[in-house]
Amino acid sequence: MSCFLLSKLAESFENDAFKPGIVTATSKGSKKVKSKGIAGFDWESEREGVLQALIQLLQLDIRRLWNMSLVEEEFTSCVTCCCYKLLENPAINQVKSKGTRDGVIHLLGVLVKKYNHLLGASVKIIQLLQHFEHLAPVCVQAVSLWVSEYGVRSIVGEVMREIGQKSPEELSREGSGVRAYAAFLTELAACIPAAMLPSISVLLDHLDGESYTMRMAVLEVMGEMVSQVLSGEELEESGRDARDQFLDTLQEHLHDTNSFVRSRMLQTFTRIVNKKALPLARFRDVLTLTVGRLVDKSVNVCKNAIQLLAAFMANNPFTWKLSSVDLKAPLQKEVDKLKEMKDKAKEQAPVAVIEAWELWEAMEPELLQTVQSELQKGREEREGEEERVEETALAAAENIAHLLRNNKYRQAVSLTLACMKTFPEDDLFVVSGGEEEEEDEEDKPTEEVVMAVMALIFKGPEKSSESGGVETGNPQDPPLPSSEPGDPSAAAELLSKQEMLVQYLRDTHDFAVKIEEAIAVISTMLYWKTTSVVQEAIDFFVTVSEFGVSQALVGVRRMLPLVWSKDAGVKEAVVEAYRRLYLNPAGDSQRAKAQSLVQNLSMLMVDASLGTIECLEEIIFDFFQKKELPPAVLQLLWERFTGKLSSSSLERRAAVLLLGMAARAEREIVFSNLDTLVSVGLGEKVQEDFQLARDTCITIGKIADSGKPKPGKSSKPFRLPQDHQLFTCLTDAITTGLLSQDLYWLSFSEHAVSLLYRLSESPDRTCAHILRRCSALLLEELSKEGEASSQSDNSLEEKDLSQSQPSVSGSLPSYLLSHLLSLVGCVGFHQVEHLERSVSAELRRRRVEKEEQEEERGGRGKAGAATRRKSKAGDDTLDEEMGLVGASAEDTEAELIRRICETELLSGEQMLSSFVPLILQVCNNPGKYSDPQLTTTACLALSKYMMISSEFCDSHLRLLFTMLEKSALPSVRSNTIIALGDLTIRFPNLIEPWTPHLYARLRDDAPSVRKTAVIVMTHLILKDMVKVKGQVSEMAVLLMDSEQEIMALAFNFFNELAAKDNAIYNLLPDIISRLSDPENGIEEEPFHTIMKQLFSYITKDKQTESLVEKLCQRFRTARTERQWRDLAYCLSLLSFAERGLRKMQENFECFGDKLGEEAVYQSFITTMGKIRRGAKPEVKALVDEFEHKLTACHTRGMENLEPGESQPAPISTPASKLDKRGARGARSQALSTQNRNDDSDFVTPRPRRTRKPAPRRQRAAITFSSDEEDEESAGELEVESETPKVQTPIQRSSRRTRTKQ
C-alpha cells in the first residue's frame, strides 16, 4: 500500500508540476515562476528521494508477500507508470535532471531484471520514441545500462525486433517517430554494438524502404559493428563473412539515390578508416568509389568525400611519403627482381614433379596385365613382334624408361624381353638374387622377373630410390629428380617474400595514383562558392602535402589567391594552412628550423608567377606582423642574399623577395640595410644576374610603399636624396646593360625606372640623363659599325652587315633598338603616373598645408569679439564657400596636370618627343623591321606614349588598330589588345567607335590572342567600360572553344555577367539572332550547347514569359528551316508554367505553319512534357489539349506533302551552307557590326530585298611596306573608310548610322 501511494503521489505531483507549462504559453518577457505546492512543498527537490526509496524497496526480496512468490502485474505496472511519466518530462535531458534520469533508469532496470518487465519495457520504449523524440538519448542510456550492469542483453533484440516489424507505410506516416528510431539505433550501436550484432537481420528490410532516415540508421549500425566488433586479424571465419557482407552493403549505398544517405555513408567510412578497421583488400575499391563521389551533385557529399580522402591519407598503411613518381622506380626494380627469381627457380626446379616410385605404383597394375598377356603369347609370336634392340644395354634401358613414361607398356615389355635375351649378363637386365633362376628358366622368364627388371630400369636401385633413380638425357621427360636436391623450401620462402614486397609496392603506387587523381578534382573545388567545401579542400591539400604527394604543390599554390577572399573563414583557412606547412619545420636547433623554413618558402617561389608572389607576400606579411617568424629567419635570409651562406642564384632571389615581404610589416628591415642591398644586388656584378637586380629593386620599392602618407595627414612623401648611391647604381646598371643580350634586362629596366620615379626627388632629370647616355651608346655602336664597314675591302649592303641577327638602320642589331624603345616607353608611362599621382598629391598636400597656415594666422589676428558676433548662418555659408573653393582648387590642379600631359610632355622641346619618329618608323614598316621582339617593343612603346596625350592617341589610333588586325605576330596582337584595354579606361570616348575591332580579336586564329582578348573584354564589360550589345555573341562562341582554358574564361564571364540584373536576359535575343544567322552563325550542335548554358541563367518567371512571347513572334520573320529549329529549341530550354503556356497558345499563329518540320514539332513536344511534370490537373488538361493541337498541325502539314516531295524553304539561301561551317570556322567570319537603332529586347532581322545590291566600294588594303621609299608615304596606308567619323559616345547610335548610310 505504501508503494502504491508513493507511486501515485509521485505521478500526481509530476502532472501538477508541468500542467501550467503544457496548457498555457508563457508570454514574451515574462519570468517563469517556480511551481510550489502547499506549505512550500518543492517536488523537484523531493523527486530524487522518492526514486531512491522505490529502488531500495524493490531491491528487497518482496516476492514472499504474494502467493507462490509471484509478484502481481498490477504492482509492477503501478511503479512503471510512475517511471514513464517522469520520462515524459521535456527537461529530463537537461543536466539538472541527471539525478532523476539515473534514478528512473536504475528503477526500471530492477523491474526488468527481477520483476519480469522485459517485454513491457521494450514495447514502452517504442511507444515513447514514437511520441517523444527527445527521449532517444535517454532510452539509449537506459538500454545500454541494463545490458552492461543488469545483464539483460535480450532486451536489445526485443527492441530491435519491434523496430524491424514497422512497415514502410507506418514509417512514412511517423515523421518524428522515424527520426527518434533512427537516432536510437545509431546511438545504441555506438554504445553496445556487440549486443546488437545477433539481431541485425531484423533491420535489413528497412534498407529497401522509402524512408532514407531509417536506411541511414541501419547502415550506420553496420558501420559501428564493423569498426568496433568485426575488426582485427583474429576474427573467425563467420566474423569475416559478416564483415564482408556489411562492407558490401555500405559500398553499394555509396551510390544511393538519396544524397543524405551517400553523405552519411562517406562519414561512416571515415570513422571506419580512422579506427583502422577497413581491411587492406578493400582500400582500392573504397578509394575508387570515394574519388567518384567528388563529382557528386550534392555539396555535402563532395565535402564528406574530401574528408574521407584525408582520412585515407592520415591512416594509410603504406608509407609516410606517397609520391607516385618516387614509387615507380622501386616498384619496377622489385618487379624485375621477382621475374628474375621466378626464372631462376624454373631453371633450378626438378623437371619431374612426381617421384619415380609414385609413377611406378600408379602404372604397376596395368603394366602387370600387359606383362602377363605378353608372356602368354607363343614364342613364335613374340619373335615376330620383338622390338629392335639397340647396340648398348644403357641405350636400351633409356628407351624402355621412355616408353613407360609415355604409357606405351606393350612396346616396353617386348623390348625388355628382347634385351633380357640379348644382354643376359648385364646388370640392368639381371635381378639380384635371381641369376640362377634366370639361368634355369632362360627360355621362359616369369612375371616377377620382368616386372623387377622394368622396376630397376624405371626407379633405379633401392639405395637411390629416394633421389629419383636413373636419369635420362631428355629434359622433356618427367624422370627422376637430380641427385643433388638443394633446399627448395628456402628458395620458395624467398620467392614468397618477394611477391609480398611487390604486391605492397604495387598497392602503394596505386594508392598514390588515386590520391593524385583526386587532387586534380579537388583543386577545382577551391573556388566553389560553398565555404565549407573550400575549407575542406584546403585542409586536404595540407594533409597530402605532409605526406609528400608530388601533385600537392599544385593545390598549395592554387589556394594562394584565396587569401584575398572576402570570406573571412576562407582567408583564415589559407593562412592557417601555410602556418601548418611552413611555420612548424623539423630541426634540432633554432637555426636548423630556420633553414628548413626558408628552404620551404624558397621552393614555393621557384617559377612562381607575379600573382603567386603577391599572394604569398600577403601571407608572409601576416606572419611578420604577428611576430610568428623568429629573428633567425631574417638573419638566414640576409646571409643567403649577401653570399655568406653558399646558395644558388634561385635561392638568393627568393631570399631578397622574402626580405621585401617582411619589409611591409617592418620598414626598417630594408631601410637599415639599404646600402647592403644596393652594393650586392645593384653593384659591380649587376650584369651577371639581372634577375637578382630586378628582385632587389622590388624589395627596395617596399620602402616607398611603407612611406606613403596617411590620409588626412600633411606629412611629406618619402624621397631619397638625389645624390644617393642607389640612383647612381641604377643609372650605371641600365646604361651598361643596354648593350647586353640578357633577356632579363627588359624586366630589370622596367622595375628600375619605376623605382627611380618612386624614390627620387627629380626622377624626370635622372631618366632624361639615362636616355641621353643610352642614345649616345647606340650612336657610338653605330659609328663603330660604320667604321668597320668602311675599312672592309668589299662594300656590303646594310642588310648584310650582321648575318647572325636582324639588323636595324643597316648596322645596329635589333636587340639594341628594342632595348632603347622599351626604356623609352617605360619612362613615358611612369612620367605620366608620376605627374598624376605623386605631383598631384604633392600639390594637394602643399595647398592643404598652406590653407592650414593661413587659418592659424587669421585666427590669431582676429579679435575675439568679432568672431563671436558671427551668426550660425554665416558660418554655414562660409563653410560652403570654402568647400567650393577646395573643389575648384582640385579641378585647377587636375587641369594643370592634364595640360602638361597634353601639350608639354610630347612637345618638341622634351626628351620623349625626340623618340616619336623612331617608334613610328618601326611600327609603320614591319617588313623592314621584322624582328619579333623589336616589333612587340615598338608596339608597346607606342601604346604607352598614347597613354600620355589624348591628341597623340587620337592621331595614332588607326595605326595601332592596323597592327592589331594585320600583324602576323601573335605576341604583337596580344600586347596590342592589352594596351587598348588600358586606353579604353583612360580615353573611353576615343576607343568606343573602335569597339567592334576589339570584339573581332575573339575570333583570332591564335589561342594566345583569343585568351588575351577574352580576359581584356571581360574586364571592360564587367566594369561597364564597353557598352554590351549583340557583339557579345562572340564571347558566347568561345563557350565551345577548342582550348579548355579559353572555354573556362568564357564560362566565368557569363557567370559574372549573370550576377548583374537582367544582363543575360537583355542580350539573349541579339545573341540568338546572330548565332542562328544563315550567313554568319555557327553549326547547330554548338548552338544547342551554347544556348543550354545561356538559358540556365534565366530564372525569373517574368523573364521567361517575355522570352516565350518574343521567341514566338520571331517565327514570323525566320527565313530558313534552320532558324525555325533554333527558335523551337530555345523555347524547349525555358522552364515555364501555366502563364508561359498561355503565351504560347496566344501566339500559335506565329509558328503553327512551321510544325510540319519534324525537329520543330519534337521541340514543342519536349516543351509540353516539361510543363506537364509536376503540373496541376487543370494545367495538364491544357497541355494535353495544346499537344493535340500541335500534333494535328504537324500531321496536316505532313499530309499536304506529296510522296518524295520536301517542303520548300522560305528563301533560296540554303541552310546546308551554314551547316558546313563549324564553331571554329565561324570564328573566322565577322559577325555583323551594324548597330541597331532599337535597343529593345528582341529585334528581328529585316527580310532580304530582291533587288540587286549596289556594288560595294573596294577598300584599299592596308599593307606593310619593307621598302625604304615607302617611308614618306606611310600616311597613305591609313584609309579614310576605316576610321570612324564620329568619336564621341554621345548619341552615337543615330549619328553613326547616318554616316554609314
Side-chain angles (χ1 to χ4, degrees):
M1 180 59 70
S2 299
C3 184
F4 174 79
L5 289 175
L6 189 60
S7 300
K8 289 300 180 181
L9 285 173
E11 189 174 347
S12 177
F13 287 142
E14 189 70 17
N15 285 332
D16 293 340
F18 291 95
K19 187 176 181 180
I22 297 174
V23 176
T24 61
T26 306
S27 61
K28 185 176 180 181
S30 62
K31 297 182 180 179
K32 293 182 179 180
V33 180
K34 189 174 182 181
S35 62
K36 292 188 178 182
I38 302 173
F41 176 74
D42 187 3
W43 165 241
E44 292 186 6
S45 61
E46 299 292 339
R47 187 188 292 123
E48 295 183 21
V50 172
L51 292 173
Q52 293 299 326
L54 288 173
I55 292 173
Q56 293 174 6
L57 174 63
L58 294 178
Q59 283 179 346
L60 299 176
D61 190 7
I62 61 174
R63 289 177 297 177
R64 286 178 289 183
L65 297 176
W66 286 271
N67 294 330
M68 301 179 66
S69 300
L70 184 63
V71 180
E72 294 180 358
E73 187 177 351
E74 290 79 0
F75 175 79
T76 306
S77 63
C78 176
V79 180
T80 55
C81 287
C82 173
C83 294
Y84 294 132
K85 176 59 68 175
L86 292 173
L87 288 178
E88 292 176 6
N89 186 351
I92 196 69
N93 276 330
Q94 298 177 4
V95 178
K96 66 178 182 179
S97 302
K98 184 178 184 301
T100 303
R101 184 171 63 247
D102 294 343
V104 172
I105 292 173
H106 280 283
L107 181 56
L108 289 173
V110 173
L111 291 170
V112 169
K113 183 176 178 63
K114 300 179 66 175
Y115 296 93
N116 198 23
H117 185 58
L118 188 145
L119 184 59
S122 61
V123 175
K124 194 62 179 178
I125 286 175
I126 298 300
Q127 294 176 356
L128 289 173
L129 291 174
Q130 183 177 359
H131 298 288
F132 302 98
E133 188 177 354
H134 69 278
L135 286 181
V138 178
C139 293
V140 169
Q141 181 183 353
V143 174
S144 60
L145 187 138
W146 298 342
V147 171
S148 58
E149 294 191 14
Y150 293 92
V152 190
R153 298 176 64 89
S154 57
I155 194 172
V156 178
E158 293 294 334
V159 175
M160 293 176 65
R161 191 174 295 107
E162 292 290 337
I163 297 177
Q165 290 175 356
K166 294 283 185 180
S167 65
E169 292 78 11
E170 274 186 88
L171 295 176
S172 62
R173 292 193 299 267
E174 300 176 5
S176 61
V178 173
R179 293 193 296 270
Y181 297 151
F184 172 78
L185 290 174
T186 303
E187 296 181 22
L188 189 64
C191 297
I192 48 172
M196 298 180 66
L197 182 58
S199 304
I200 186 63
S201 59
V202 301
L203 300 175
L204 298 181
D205 290 340
H206 291 302
L207 293 177
D208 299 326
E210 296 181 1
S211 175
Y212 71 90
T213 307
M214 285 300 298
R215 202 156 61 240
M216 287 192 298
V218 176
L219 292 170
E220 280 195 271
V221 170
M222 291 183 178
E224 292 294 341
M225 292 176 180
V226 170
S227 60
Q228 297 189 40
V229 182
L230 303 175
S231 61
E233 299 296 332
E234 300 177 358
L235 279 179
E236 298 180 355
E237 190 66 27
S238 59
R240 288 197 182 97
D241 293 341
R243 179 190 64 187
D244 292 341
Q245 291 177 5
F246 290 166
L247 288 174
D248 289 339
T249 305
L250 293 176
Q251 289 179 212
E252 289 174 3
H253 285 275
L254 282 173
H255 295 287
D256 197 281
T257 55
N258 190 278
S259 62
F260 292 105
V261 180
R262 299 195 300 270
S263 179
R264 190 63 60 87
M265 287 307 93
L266 291 168
Q267 294 175 4
T268 302
F269 271 110
T270 302
R271 288 195 296 270
I272 293 174
V273 172
N274 285 331
K275 293 182 179 180
K276 296 181 171 50
L278 186 66
L280 185 60
R282 296 266 178 175
F283 259 67
R284 182 180 178 85
D285 296 337
V286 178
L287 187 62
T288 304
L289 291 173
T290 307
V291 174
R293 290 301 91 203
L294 290 174
V295 294
D296 198 282
K297 294 182 179 179
S298 172
V299 174
N300 288 329
V301 175
C302 296
K303 181 179 69 174
N304 287 292
I306 297 174
Q307 291 177 351
L308 179 53
L309 289 171
F312 268 118
M313 287 295 303
N315 299 279
N316 79 87
F318 302 110
T319 179
W320 65 273
K321 188 175 183 181
L322 290 167
S323 175
S324 60
V325 178
D326 297 337
L327 290 169
K328 190 173 182 180
L331 174 60
Q332 188 61 41
K333 178 181 177 182
E334 297 300 331
V335 168
D336 296 340
K337 184 177 179 181
L338 177 62
K339 184 178 179 182
E340 183 181 349
M341 291 177 67
K342 286 183 177 180
D343 295 340
K344 189 175 180 181
K346 251 184 214 181
E347 296 174 358
Q348 293 181 353
V351 181
V353 177
I354 304 176
E355 298 290 340
W357 61 271
E358 294 178 341
L359 290 173
W360 176 259
E361 290 180 357
M363 71 175 67
E364 189 173 7
E366 186 178 355
L367 184 60
L368 180 60
Q369 293 179 2
T370 305
V371 170
Q372 291 175 353
S373 64
E374 287 295 320
L375 290 177
Q376 288 176 1
K377 291 181 180 181
R379 184 184 184 89
E380 294 179 358
E381 293 179 2
R382 287 202 310 271
E383 289 178 355
E385 296 177 0
E386 282 181 356
E387 296 287 338
R388 183 175 59 85
V389 181
E390 301 291 340
E391 296 181 357
T392 62
L394 182 60
E398 292 178 355
N399 197 7
I400 291 171
H402 179 71
L403 291 172
L404 289 174
R405 295 186 192 99
N406 290 283
N407 298 329
K408 297 180 179 180
Y409 298 145
R410 184 177 178 183
Q411 298 178 15
V413 171
S414 300
L415 184 58
T416 301
L417 293 175
C419 289
M420 291 175 64
K421 185 177 180 180
T422 306
F423 309 106
E425 299 180 355
D426 195 281
D427 295 339
L428 292 174
F429 299 99
V430 177
V431 182
S432 57
E435 292 84 352
E436 296 178 357
E437 182 180 0
E438 192 173 340
E439 290 176 0
D440 295 338
E441 302 179 3
E442 181 179 358
D443 295 336
K444 189 179 180 182
T446 61
E447 300 172 4
E448 291 79 6
V449 173
V450 176
M451 290 294 292
V453 169
M454 287 192 294
L456 177 64
I457 293 174
F458 191 79
K459 297 191 298 181
E462 293 294 333
K463 63 180 180 179
S464 62
S465 62
E466 295 181 358
S467 61
V470 180
E471 295 183 2
T472 62
N474 192 353
Q476 296 180 352
D477 297 336
L480 323 167
S482 174
S483 58
E484 298 178 4
D487 190 2
S489 61
E493 184 178 357
L494 290 175
L495 185 62
S496 176
K497 289 182 178 179
Q498 185 65 22
E499 289 176 345
M500 292 175 62
L501 177 60
V502 170
Q503 187 62 39
Y504 165 78
L505 290 175
R506 185 173 286 116
D507 291 343
T508 307
H509 180 265
D510 294 343
F511 182 81
V513 169
K514 279 294 177 184
I515 292 296
E516 291 174 1
E517 180 182 343
I519 288 175
V521 181
I522 297 175
S523 62
T524 61
M525 299 182 182
L526 288 170
Y527 294 93
W528 282 17
K529 295 182 180 179
T530 309
T531 302
S532 58
V533 175
V534 176
Q535 290 174 340
E536 290 295 339
I538 291 172
D539 291 340
F540 172 78
F541 279 113
V542 174
T543 302
V544 296
S545 299
E546 293 172 348
F547 280 88
V549 179
S550 57
Q551 300 297 325
L553 189 60
V554 176
V556 172
R557 282 188 175 181
R558 189 176 175 82
M559 74 171 73
L560 264 175
L562 294 175
V563 76
W564 309 107
S565 175
K566 297 179 181 178
D567 193 325
V570 173
K571 180 177 180 180
E572 183 59 31
V574 175
V575 176
E576 182 61 29
Y578 275 83
R579 185 178 288 111
R580 285 175 54 187
L581 289 173
Y582 298 107
L583 293 190
N584 298 310
D588 299 332
S589 62
Q590 193 73 14
R591 183 172 179 82
K593 291 182 179 180
Q595 288 178 342
S596 178
L597 192 152
V598 170
Q599 185 64 27
N600 292 336
L601 292 176
S602 300
M603 291 301 296
L604 190 63
M605 298 181 67
V606 173
D607 298 332
S609 62
L610 181 61
T612 301
I613 293 176
E614 289 180 356
C615 299
L616 186 61
E617 180 179 351
E618 185 69 16
I619 295 177
I620 299 298
F621 168 70
D622 186 76
F623 290 163
F624 275 103
Q625 196 174 30
K626 295 180 180 179
K627 307 295 183 183
E628 294 180 351
L629 291 176
V633 172
L634 291 176
Q635 181 64 28
L636 189 63
L637 290 174
W638 282 114
E639 291 179 3
R640 281 195 172 193
F641 171 68
T642 56
K644 292 182 180 179
L645 189 65
S646 178
S647 55
S648 63
S649 59
L650 286 174
E651 292 174 343
R652 293 183 67 191
R653 294 201 298 271
V656 72
L657 286 175
L658 289 171
L659 288 171
M661 296 175 187
R664 278 191 58 194
E666 189 176 351
R667 177 189 172 198
E668 291 299 320
I669 294 176
V670 171
F671 186 71
S672 60
N673 297 277
L674 183 58
D675 295 339
T676 304
L677 285 168
V678 172
S679 59
V680 176
L682 303 173
E684 299 176 355
K685 299 181 179 180
V686 65
Q687 295 190 17
E688 298 178 2
D689 192 350
F690 280 109
Q691 286 180 286
L692 180 62
R694 176 199 63 195
D695 296 340
T696 303
C697 292
I698 295 174
T699 299
I700 297 175
K702 302 300 178 182
I703 301 176
D705 292 340
S706 302
K708 284 184 178 180
K710 297 181 180 180
K713 302 291 182 180
S714 59
S715 58
K716 293 183 179 180
F718 176 78
R719 296 281 171 172
L720 292 176
Q722 190 64 27
D723 57 349
H724 196 276
Q725 181 187 2
L726 171 64
F727 306 128
T728 305
C729 292
L730 286 176
T731 302
D732 295 339
I734 293 173
T735 53
T736 55
L738 180 72
L739 302 178
S740 68
Q741 300 187 33
D742 196 320
L743 298 176
Y744 298 102
W745 181 88
L746 292 174
S747 60
F748 159 71
S749 62
E750 292 178 3
H751 287 88
V753 171
S754 175
L755 186 62
L756 283 170
Y757 274 95
R758 292 166 65 188
L759 292 180
S760 175
E761 291 182 350
S762 302
D764 48 351
R765 296 180 182 178
T766 306
C767 290
H769 176 64
I770 292 174
L771 289 178
R772 291 191 189 93
R773 288 185 57 180
C774 291
S775 303
L777 287 175
L778 290 187
L779 291 175
E780 290 179 5
E781 289 293 323
L782 185 62
S783 61
K784 290 179 182 178
E785 293 291 338
E787 293 176 0
S789 61
S790 62
Q791 293 175 0
S792 59
D793 297 331
N794 299 323
S795 175
L796 300 177
E797 296 181 358
E798 291 180 352
K799 63 179 180 180
D800 296 331
L801 287 176
S802 178
Q803 297 180 357
S804 59
Q805 49 187 309
S807 59
V808 177
S809 300
S811 59
L812 276 180
S814 60
Y815 77 89
L816 293 178
L817 191 55
S818 175
H819 286 184
L820 179 62
L821 293 182
S822 173
L823 183 61
V824 169
C826 289
V827 172
F829 178 79
H830 287 288
Q831 181 66 35
V832 176
E833 182 186 23
H834 175 68
L835 289 172
E836 295 189 349
R837 288 189 178 182
S838 302
V839 175
S840 178
E842 179 64 13
L843 290 175
R844 188 183 307 111
R845 186 192 67 81
R846 292 182 180 182
R847 173 173 53 80
V848 172
E849 184 178 1
K850 183 178 180 181
E851 290 175 357
E852 291 176 353
Q853 292 176 359
E854 290 179 353
E855 289 180 1
E856 291 178 0
R857 289 195 299 268
R860 289 193 298 267
K862 289 181 180 181
T867 305
R868 287 192 298 269
R869 283 196 300 268
K870 289 186 177 180
S871 64
K872 184 177 180 180
D875 293 336
D876 295 339
T877 305
L878 181 61
D879 292 338
E880 291 177 1
E881 290 177 355
M882 291 299 295
L884 292 174
V885 171
S888 176
E890 289 183 0
D891 294 339
T892 303
E893 294 167 358
E895 180 63 23
L896 174 63
I897 299 297
R898 190 193 67 79
R899 187 172 65 252
I900 293 174
C901 294
E902 291 287 342
T903 60
E904 296 185 14
L905 287 184
L906 295 179
S907 63
E909 301 175 357
Q910 299 296 326
M911 174 64 72
L912 293 176
S913 62
S914 58
F915 296 96
V916 172
L918 180 60
I919 296 175
L920 296 178
Q921 171 79 8
V922 176
C923 292
N924 280 317
N925 298 277
K928 180 178 181 181
Y929 305 98
S930 59
D931 182 69
Q933 182 182 0
L934 176 59
T935 307
T936 305
T937 306
C939 175
L940 288 175
L942 176 62
S943 61
K944 291 176 181 177
Y945 266 51
M946 292 169 69
M947 293 285 289
I948 299 175
S949 167
S950 60
E951 182 180 355
F952 185 86
C953 176
D954 188 21
S955 59
H956 298 89
L957 200 56
R958 190 183 306 111
L959 173 60
L960 194 63
F961 274 99
T962 301
M963 298 181 69
L964 175 66
E965 295 186 357
K966 302 297 182 180
S967 177
L969 299 174
S971 60
V972 173
R973 300 199 298 273
S974 296
N975 284 281
T976 304
I977 192 129
I978 295 173
L980 286 169
D982 295 335
L983 288 172
T984 303
I985 296 175
R986 183 164 178 82
F987 305 121
N989 293 347
L990 297 179
I991 306 298
E992 193 277 335
W994 299 87
T995 303
H997 297 274
L998 295 178
Y999 279 106
R1001 289 308 94 206
L1002 295 170
R1003 304 186 304 272
D1004 199 282
D1005 295 333
S1008 60
V1009 180
R1010 294 201 305 275
K1011 176 184 174 183
T1012 306
V1014 71
I1015 292 174
V1016 172
M1017 296 307 298
T1018 297
H1019 284 285
L1020 293 178
I1021 292 173
L1022 295 180
K1023 291 180 179 180
D1024 297 326
M1025 299 305 301
V1026 172
K1027 188 172 182 179
V1028 185
K1029 285 210 168 187
Q1031 294 162 340
V1032 79
S1033 59
E1034 301 291 352
M1035 297 285 283
V1037 173
L1038 295 181
L1039 291 171
M1040 296 297 296
D1041 197 272
S1042 57
E1043 298 291 330
Q1044 290 293 329
E1045 190 174 2
I1046 298 176
M1047 189 187 304
L1049 290 171
F1051 271 105
N1052 181 66
F1053 165 74
F1054 282 104
N1055 289 335
E1056 296 294 333
L1057 188 63
K1060 295 188 174 184
D1061 293 337
N1062 301 330
I1064 300 293
Y1065 163 74
N1066 294 331
L1067 294 172
L1068 256 180
D1070 281 345
I1071 294 177
I1072 296 172
S1073 177
R1074 288 171 179 266
L1075 295 185
S1076 63
D1077 188 86
E1079 296 181 356
N1080 301 316
I1082 60 176
E1083 281 188 353
E1084 201 162 353
E1085 185 176 352
F1087 177 85
H1088 290 176
T1089 306
I1090 293 171
M1091 289 300 112
K1092 280 182 182 179
Q1093 179 64 26
L1094 295 182
F1095 273 86
S1096 65
Y1097 301 116
I1098 304 300
T1099 56
K1100 298 179 180 179
D1101 293 338
K1102 290 185 178 179
Q1103 293 179 353
T1104 302
E1105 295 168 15
S1106 177
L1107 280 177
V1108 169
E1109 184 175 6
K1110 292 179 182 298
L1111 290 175
C1112 291
Q1113 292 291 336
R1114 180 67 175 85
F1115 275 99
R1116 293 183 180 274
T1117 54
R1119 295 173 292 169
T1120 63
E1121 294 180 2
R1122 162 66 193 281
Q1123 289 178 320
W1124 300 350
R1125 296 194 299 270
D1126 289 345
L1127 291 171
Y1129 179 78
C1130 291
L1131 279 173
S1132 68
L1133 294 176
L1134 289 170
S1135 300
F1136 50 89
E1138 183 179 357
R1139 290 185 178 180
L1141 178 60
R1142 295 189 184 278
K1143 287 285 184 182
M1144 190 179 293
Q1145 289 176 335
E1146 294 172 1
N1147 295 275
F1148 181 79
E1149 295 180 356
C1150 299
F1151 58 85
D1153 58 334
K1154 314 296 190 303
L1155 292 172
E1157 175 71 22
E1158 181 66 24
V1160 176
Y1161 170 71
Q1162 291 298 332
S1163 296
F1164 276 98
I1165 293 298
T1166 303
T1167 305
M1168 295 301 103
K1170 291 175 65 176
I1171 301 175
R1172 185 182 288 109
R1173 294 194 206 105
K1176 297 179 181 179
E1178 54 271 19
V1179 178
K1180 288 184 179 179
L1182 289 175
V1183 171
D1184 294 337
E1185 180 183 353
F1186 190 64
E1187 188 173 344
H1188 178 72
K1189 187 176 182 180
L1190 293 173
T1191 305
C1193 289
H1194 172 67
T1195 306
R1196 184 168 59 252
M1198 298 300 294
E1199 289 175 353
N1200 291 335
L1201 296 177
E1202 296 180 1
E1205 183 182 358
S1206 61
Q1207 187 174 358
I1211 61 172
S1212 59
T1213 303
S1216 59
K1217 182 185 296 184
L1218 173 64
D1219 296 337
K1220 293 181 181 179
R1221 298 193 300 268
R1224 183 68 187 88
R1227 187 183 297 111
S1228 61
Q1229 301 177 0
L1231 297 179
S1232 175
T1233 58
Q1234 181 180 0
N1235 291 335
R1236 306 181 190 272
N1237 296 330
D1238 186 9
D1239 289 337
S1240 61
D1241 292 337
F1242 199 96
V1243 180
T1244 57
R1246 297 179 180 177
R1248 289 188 174 182
R1249 298 179 180 177
T1250 56
R1251 65 180 178 84
K1252 186 176 180 181
R1256 299 175 58 187
R1257 184 180 63 180
Q1258 186 176 3
R1259 294 183 177 182
I1262 299 179
T1263 57
F1264 295 122
S1265 175
S1266 59
D1267 302 327
E1268 294 182 359
E1269 58 270 12
D1270 292 340
E1271 295 175 6
E1272 297 179 357
S1273 60
E1276 299 177 1
L1277 296 176
E1278 301 164 350
V1279 182
E1280 182 181 358
S1281 59
E1282 293 195 4
T1283 305
K1285 298 296 184 63
V1286 182
Q1287 300 180 357
T1288 173
I1290 302 175
Q1291 298 179 352
R1292 58 183 178 277
S1293 298
S1294 59
R1295 294 181 65 183
R1296 288 182 62 191
T1297 304
R1298 288 197 299 269
T1299 55
K1300 289 187 177 182
Q1301 292 174 352

